[in-house]
Amino acid sequence: MDRLDNTVRPYAWGSPTAIPRLLGTEPTGEPQAEMWMGAHPGAPSRTGRGTLAEVIDAAPERELGPAAVAKFGPRLPFLLKLLAAGSPLSLQVHPDLAQARAGYEDEERRGVPVTAPHRNYKDANHKPELVCALTEFDGLCGFRDPLHAAELLDGLGVDSLKPYVDLLHARPEEAALREVLTAVLTADREEMARTVAEAAAACDRLGGPYAPYAGIAHHYPGDPGVIAAMLLNHVRLQPGEAMFLGAGVPHAYLEGLGVEIMANSDNVLRCGLTPKHVDVPELLRIVRFEATDPAVLRPEAGPDDEEVYETPTDEFRLSRYVLPEGGTTHDLTLATPQILLCTAGSVRAGEHDLTPGHSVFVPAGEKAEVSGTGTVFRATVAV
């Protein structure tokens, strides 16, 4: 069992205080957006045996187990994070596995550098995600019913939005959502900036269901993504609740601290709320234009007090243990690799004492006993 020394990524949207508060350290004044736990080449966790990527590369079957290697290859297929959003992330979607493979092969064939700002597919993998709230956590997930979106837009009283309102009323669901998102993202930028400014002022004035979009507009003035965001469901997670984000589902995180787990991929198609490249034709090919009721996931009781967040993906499986004072020791030994992350209290994992924000990697088959008082998240794979 290896204690992990993890990198914190200072993305501009990160909260300067949420991760330091969890760790019990002093803020630096800089944003601290994500703490990465895993073997992602961009920032692999460090152990006493080298980086976790080096440890796994040296003996993949010993570290990951034969079943995981047979299914996912000689790599850790997930990345676990602490994610602290102080302002909205970009509005985005992720491809499914077939789309990712085809897109990656196409860009490789055309010689688009992986580091190019207009490159869409950094790898050949999909990127399903799950975020579990540690604090109240705001996000956007999936399209609203077109009639509900029309009602929200119409309530702003902005004349330049009326054509979108009419489309949302007149067209079938898929066509309505596709045509309005296309129109928003391809509109004249100066005209759209004026529309966004009017809409933002109305959101400020109206509050209530418009408040999240007023906040988005404050961070991204004039961005077409502000209007695109109003087509999506606003979701507010309470601590312990989670949200799964599958392929083609437009989404954005707005504010809050959570535990996030995802398949190991960097493939993102952006819709707005970003100065980065937005490839509208490719985006429209990937987005699933269907209204959804964003299901809030709550953990389901498993054996030995494990609480499992069930998802349809195999690359990761996230669960937690809430350990009461005076509770028993739990044997977490598995034939698959694990990362154990403490988010509350004081927990003993093997020979390691863990406090909030600290984690260990458990190789496949290694004895893993956990005790103490607090909360431990367990990340592994489904095989």
Side-chain angles (χ1 to χ4, degrees):
M1 190 181 296
D2 299 280
R3 179 180 286 273
L4 298 179
D5 179 18
N6 303 306
T7 297
V8 175
R9 310 306 294 261
Y11 305 134
W13 49 261
S15 165
T17 58
I19 289 178
R21 186 181 301 120
L22 184 75
L23 293 172
T25 59
E26 286 296 316
T28 64
E30 298 298 316
Q32 297 190 35
E34 296 181 347
M35 177 185 286
W36 287 19
M37 291 158 276
H40 190 287
S45 299
R46 297 168 292 278
T47 78
R49 299 186 284 157
T51 70
L52 188 54
E54 292 168 342
V55 168
I56 291 170
D57 286 346
E61 287 219 353
R62 183 183 70 203
E63 302 296 332
L64 304 177
V69 171
K71 189 162 189 176
F72 304 110
R75 62 185 182 88
L76 189 68
F78 64 82
L79 177 63
L80 184 68
K81 299 179 180 180
L82 281 172
L83 184 146
S87 59
L89 283 67
S90 62
L91 191 60
Q92 59 189 254
V93 297
H94 305 302
D96 63 27
L97 189 55
Q99 291 165 338
R101 287 173 175 168
Y104 179 77
E105 289 170 4
D106 174 64
E107 290 185 322
E108 287 288 281
R109 187 171 55 252
R110 291 190 286 116
V112 181
V114 173
T115 55
H118 63 284
R119 174 104 183 201
N120 293 316
Y121 298 95
K122 312 293 187 185
D123 52 71
N125 200 17
H126 62 165
K127 194 185 178 189
E129 299 175 348
L130 175 74
V131 62
C132 178
L134 296 179
T135 65
E136 196 170 76
F137 193 98
D138 277 21
L140 305 173
C141 180
F143 286 109
R144 298 174 181 269
D145 179 284
L147 297 183
H148 295 161
E151 182 180 3
L152 193 72
L153 291 175
D154 197 34
L156 293 171
V158 175
D159 287 344
S160 54
L161 291 175
K162 293 193 182 301
Y164 305 147
V165 173
D166 292 342
L167 275 173
L168 290 166
H169 277 293
R171 304 285 282 151
E173 177 180 288
E174 181 179 350
L177 295 170
R178 178 183 292 276
E179 289 179 27
V180 172
L181 183 62
T182 302
V184 168
L185 296 182
T186 58
D188 179 85
R189 292 302 294 243
E190 290 187 8
E191 290 181 8
M192 179 53 65
R194 288 192 291 271
T195 296
V196 171
E198 285 188 60
C203 287
D204 269 330
R205 183 179 68 254
L206 293 167
Y210 294 97
Y213 306 100
I216 293 169
H218 171 75
H219 289 286
Y220 298 97
D223 193 303
V226 174
I227 305 302
M230 297 186 73
L231 301 175
L232 307 185
N233 298 293
H234 174 244
V235 182
R236 176 164 291 165
L237 302 177
Q238 297 304 313
E241 296 179 337
M243 180 168 61
F244 176 72
L245 303 159
V249 177
H251 62 275
Y253 301 147
L254 303 181
E255 186 174 17
L257 175 67
V259 174
E260 185 186 38
I261 190 167
M262 62 182 62
N264 239 339
S265 173
D266 294 318
N267 288 327
V268 174
L269 281 299
R270 295 176 180 86
C271 312
L273 310 183
T274 178
K276 294 182 180 180
H277 177 63
V278 177
D279 184 337
V280 175
E282 185 66 8
L283 169 74
L284 297 174
R285 194 178 72 82
I286 298 301
V287 171
R288 294 182 179 175
F289 289 97
E290 55 187 28
T292 59
D293 181 13
V296 173
L297 296 179
R298 296 175 179 84
E300 299 181 12
D304 194 29
D305 297 327
E306 185 181 26
E307 299 177 339
V308 183
Y309 294 91
E310 296 287 356
T311 71
T313 189
D314 291 337
E315 280 89 347
F316 59 77
R317 178 183 183 273
L318 186 70
S319 61
R320 70 174 185 176
Y321 290 82
V322 179
L323 307 175
E325 187 174 356
T328 60
T329 296
H330 294 272
D331 184 354
L332 273 58
T333 306
L334 288 176
T336 51
Q338 305 179 69
I339 292 178
L340 305 179
L341 166 66
C342 176
T343 59
S346 179
V347 174
R348 182 85 174 166
E351 70 275 24
H352 301 285
D353 291 316
L354 302 181
T355 53
H358 293 94
S359 56
V360 293
F361 172 73
V362 186
E366 183 166 318
K367 187 74 171 176
E369 290 187 338
V370 172
S371 60
T373 304
T375 301
V376 176
F377 279 84
R378 174 202 239 180
T380 186
V381 298
V383 294

